[in-house]
């Protein structure tokens, strides 16, 4: 097989002196020639097309490159150098189809994931196969949409480290929490942490979407988490803490929710503290608002606020 003789005389002239339209048309014809014979081509044939197409795409407009990318991305034996060039384009219209579908070496994907834009990461996260090493980069660098996409991709291999990061990020993202919780490969320990930190709404959604046998596991984990929280809370000096909370609250110097979150209390304990305060008990609506605020507050933030207050009062280190 060789490039038809009618194309050979044109190629050098097109590359050197042809208009953008002429270059695009020549690229289109050669790409069609490749696609028509791709299933039967040998390695030397592929190398020839790699050289020819590679010469053309150096001086081609983005629209034509995007068209080329869409056409060759699904082809198993697409020219490797052309694929690599297109994948590293800053234009996601060009790189996107390649990153989602084309056969690309993992080290090249990792380089792109480490250096390109969030839209590039999002395209990679949708691939039919994503290795653990590549997933680690996507989870570490990716924004919210990338994190959700990689969690939703059942073909993505996630390491314990990636799952740990996703579970942590899921504290502030209920959509992500649901996607991570639906993965069958999440380690049991991290699944328990996810359920413990997830809102009641997310817990119910996970139960509703899970298979019957998985529902049993989820209920078991929830029960275990509840028991563990109760066991950890039991040894605490509840009376002393309640007295401290009352004193601080009466002085208007520290919110109950902040102190409770900083000490690692669960909502059931906080609710008991709120109901135990002197005076009228909070209304159901007030408790709902308090719970929403409590669940949005992270332990780290609460502890920082407490330390800041202690420094202000001269009791901190």
């Amino acid at each position: 097989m060789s490039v038809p003789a009618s194309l050979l005389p044109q190629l050098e002239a097109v590359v050197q002196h042809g208009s953008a339209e002429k270059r695009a048309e020549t690229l289109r014809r050669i790409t069609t020639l490749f696609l028509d014979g791709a299933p039967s081509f040998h390695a030397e044939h592929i190398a020839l097309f790699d050289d020819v197409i590679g010469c053309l795409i150096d001086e081609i407009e983005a629209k034509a490159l995007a068209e080329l990318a869409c056409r060759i991305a699904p082809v198993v034996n697409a020219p490797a150098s052309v694929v690599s060039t297109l994948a590293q384009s800053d234009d996601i219209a060009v790189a996107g189809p390649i990153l989602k579908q084309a056969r690309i070496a993992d080290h090249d994907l990792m380089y792109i994931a480490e250096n390109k834009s969030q839209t590039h990461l999002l395209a990679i996260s949708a691939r039919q196969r994503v290795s653990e090493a590549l997933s680690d980069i996507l989870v570490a660098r990716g924004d919210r949409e990338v994190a959700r996409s990689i969690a939703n991709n059942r073909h993505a291999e996630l390491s314990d480290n990636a799952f740990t990061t996703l579970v942590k990020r899921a504290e502030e993202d209920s959509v992500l929490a649901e996607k991570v919780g639906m993965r069958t490969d999440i380690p049991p320990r991290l699944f328990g942490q996810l359920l413990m930190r997830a809102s009641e709404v997310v817990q119910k959604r996970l139960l509703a979407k899970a298979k019957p046998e998985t529902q049993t596991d989820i209920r078991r984990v929830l029960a275990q988490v509840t028991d563990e929280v109760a066991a950890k809370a039991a040894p605490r000096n509840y009376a002393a803490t309640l007295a401290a909370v009352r004193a601080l609250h009466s002085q208007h110097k520290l919110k109950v929710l902040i102190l409770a979150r900083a000490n690692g209390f669960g909502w059931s304990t906080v609710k008991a503290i709120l109901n135990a305060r002197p005076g009228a008990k909070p209304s159901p609506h007030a408790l709902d608002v308090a719970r929403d605020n409590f669940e949005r507050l992270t332990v780290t933030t609460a502890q920082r606020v407490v330390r800041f207050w202690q420094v202000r009062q001269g009791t901190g280190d």
Side-chain angles (χ1 to χ4, degrees):
M1 191 284 310
S2 62
V3 177
S6 60
L7 284 180
L8 291 175
Q10 299 177 26
L11 186 58
E12 185 175 354
V14 167
V15 171
Q16 296 296 327
H17 310 293
S19 65
E21 293 78 9
K22 190 63 176 178
R23 289 196 297 270
E25 176 58 27
T26 303
L27 176 62
R28 193 173 293 113
R29 291 175 64 188
I30 293 177
T31 302
T32 299
L33 181 66
F34 166 72
L35 295 175
D36 288 344
S40 62
F41 287 158
H42 298 300
E44 61 269 21
H45 303 149
I46 305 298
L48 175 61
F49 278 102
D50 214 353
D51 290 340
V52 172
I53 296 176
C55 290
L56 285 170
I57 63 176
D58 286 340
E59 300 293 337
I60 213 77
E61 291 185 343
K63 183 178 180 181
L65 290 179
E67 178 186 336
L68 171 65
C70 289
R71 296 184 73 187
I72 71 169
V75 181
V76 175
N77 59 344
S81 295
V82 171
V83 166
S84 179
T85 298
L86 297 176
Q88 297 187 54
S89 171
D90 290 334
D91 188 343
I92 194 59
V94 176
I98 298 294
L99 294 176
K100 289 178 182 178
Q101 292 183 275
R103 179 175 292 184
I104 309 174
D106 213 45
H107 62 82
D108 288 335
L109 288 170
M110 291 172 66
Y111 173 82
I112 293 169
E114 288 172 338
N115 294 281
K116 293 294 184 178
S117 72
Q118 292 297 318
T119 53
H120 287 72
L121 271 64
L122 185 61
I124 295 172
S125 71
R127 289 178 63 83
Q128 281 295 305
R129 179 189 175 277
V130 182
S131 69
E132 283 193 2
L134 182 55
S135 292
D136 284 344
I137 299 172
L138 295 176
V139 170
R141 281 201 68 221
D143 60 14
R144 182 178 65 178
E145 294 306 312
V146 173
R148 290 177 177 180
S149 178
I150 197 70
N152 197 50
N153 185 349
R154 295 299 182 267
H155 300 288
E157 301 171 2
L158 300 180
S159 65
D160 279 3
N161 183 60
F163 268 118
T164 299
T165 302
L166 288 173
V167 168
K168 179 64 178 176
R169 293 179 66 169
E171 292 181 27
E172 308 293 335
D173 185 346
S174 61
V175 174
L176 178 60
E178 190 172 339
K179 292 182 182 299
V180 174
M182 290 300 297
R183 291 190 64 100
T184 58
D185 53 344
I186 181 172
R189 170 182 59 85
L190 294 174
F191 184 56
Q193 291 181 18
L194 178 72
L195 285 176
M196 181 175 64
R197 297 170 183 175
S199 68
E200 186 176 350
V201 172
V202 172
Q203 291 174 356
K204 288 181 178 178
R205 286 177 178 170
L206 288 174
L207 276 170
K209 292 183 178 181
K211 296 178 181 179
E213 60 272 21
T214 307
Q215 289 181 356
T216 301
D217 290 338
I218 292 176
R219 289 192 175 94
R220 176 181 54 77
V221 171
L222 285 173
Q224 181 180 349
V225 167
T226 300
D227 292 343
E228 289 177 356
V229 170
K232 291 179 181 179
R236 294 183 183 274
N237 188 337
Y238 185 87
T241 302
L242 180 58
V245 169
R246 285 174 173 169
L248 292 169
H249 184 70
S250 66
Q251 299 171 26
H252 304 288
K253 291 179 178 178
L254 195 62
K255 296 291 185 181
V256 173
L257 300 182
I258 294 176
L259 183 60
R261 179 58 101 179
N263 280 277
F265 289 175
W267 171 245
S268 59
T269 304
V270 176
K271 183 178 179 181
I273 293 175
L274 293 174
N275 284 322
R277 292 186 301 167
K281 291 186 177 181
S283 66
H285 174 70
L287 285 174
D288 287 340
V289 172
R291 180 171 186 170
D292 288 341
N293 290 331
F294 179 76
E295 290 182 344
R296 283 197 296 267
L297 182 66
T298 67
V299 174
T300 300
T301 299
Q303 290 174 344
R304 287 175 179 169
V305 172
V306 172
R307 286 197 295 270
F308 176 76
W309 177 83
Q310 290 174 332
V311 171
R312 288 284 301 272
Q313 297 298 313
T315 61
D317 293 335

